Amino acid sequence: MTALAPADRERRLAEALRRLHAYLAREGLRVTRQRDAILAAFLDQGAHVSVEELYHGLRAEHPSIGHATVYRSMSVFVAAGVAKERRFHDGRVRYEPGFDVAHHDHLVCVACGDIQEFEDPTIEQLQEEIAGRRGFAVEYHRLELYGRCKRCQGG
């Protein structure tokens, strides 16, 4: 995921906070500064971040935020639609933004764990054609290709 320009980052954070706060209000949950800080840090990380990575990134600026708070917050973010939970080959749960992100697929290196996002309209079209020929209405899909990245191939 590419880094956002500061104005785009602020827009995305404002929209994520709006969505999160609306969800919290509907569910009767409190808005907290800690959740807001975790959400901002999560969005700054980009994609494919684990709770552990997010927690370690937050510790310097927010030493009062505990691991359990980050874990619970990510579950709330998924329920609110501002994050998506992903599980790749290593079984670790990783998160990526859940809105304002174009559909994409993943290349996952089984050696170093690198995850690369890609989009390919030909693949998307082929999937729709295959489903259509079989009378299947696709609601969503995931495509993950596992192998070794160029670096791990020695190239």
Side-chain angles (χ1 to χ4, degrees), residues 29-71:
L29 300 170
R30 292 183 311 134
V31 172
T32 67
R33 287 190 306 267
Q34 286 186 330
R35 274 196 196 118
D36 289 356
I38 294 166
L39 182 59
F42 163 65
L43 292 175
D44 282 346
Q45 288 279 327
H48 315 121
V49 63
S50 69
V51 166
E52 292 76 20
E53 292 164 339
L54 187 54
Y55 168 70
H56 289 293
L58 280 162
R59 283 180 43 197
E61 195 172 332
H62 302 279
S64 66
I65 296 178
H67 186 274
T69 301
V70 176
Y71 179 81

Side-chain angles (χ1 to χ4, degrees), residues 67-87:
H67 186 274
T69 301
V70 176
Y71 179 81
R72 285 190 304 269
S73 293
M74 292 311 299
S75 293
V76 169
F77 298 166
V78 169
V82 296
K84 286 184 182 174
E85 185 179 286
R86 306 294 285 196
R87 292 178 192 267

Side-chain angles (χ1 to χ4, degrees), residues 124 127-132 135-142:
E124 298 303 315
Q127 291 174 131
E128 287 294 328
E129 288 173 8
I130 291 169
F136 191 82
V138 175
E139 293 184 14
Y140 66 91
H141 77 275
R142 291 177 18 171

Side-chain angles (χ1 to χ4, degrees), residues 2-45:
T2 58
L4 294 175
D8 291 333
R9 179 197 175 277
E10 291 303 317
R11 181 195 50 78
R12 178 185 248 179
L13 177 58
E15 177 60 18
L17 288 169
R18 185 193 68 72
R19 289 173 184 233
L20 174 62
H21 293 173
Y23 170 81
L24 294 173
R26 282 192 310 273
E27 296 297 315
L29 300 170
R30 292 183 311 134
V31 172
T32 67
R33 287 190 306 267
Q34 286 186 330
R35 274 196 196 118
D36 289 356
I38 294 166
L39 182 59
F42 163 65
L43 292 175
D44 282 346
Q45 288 279 327

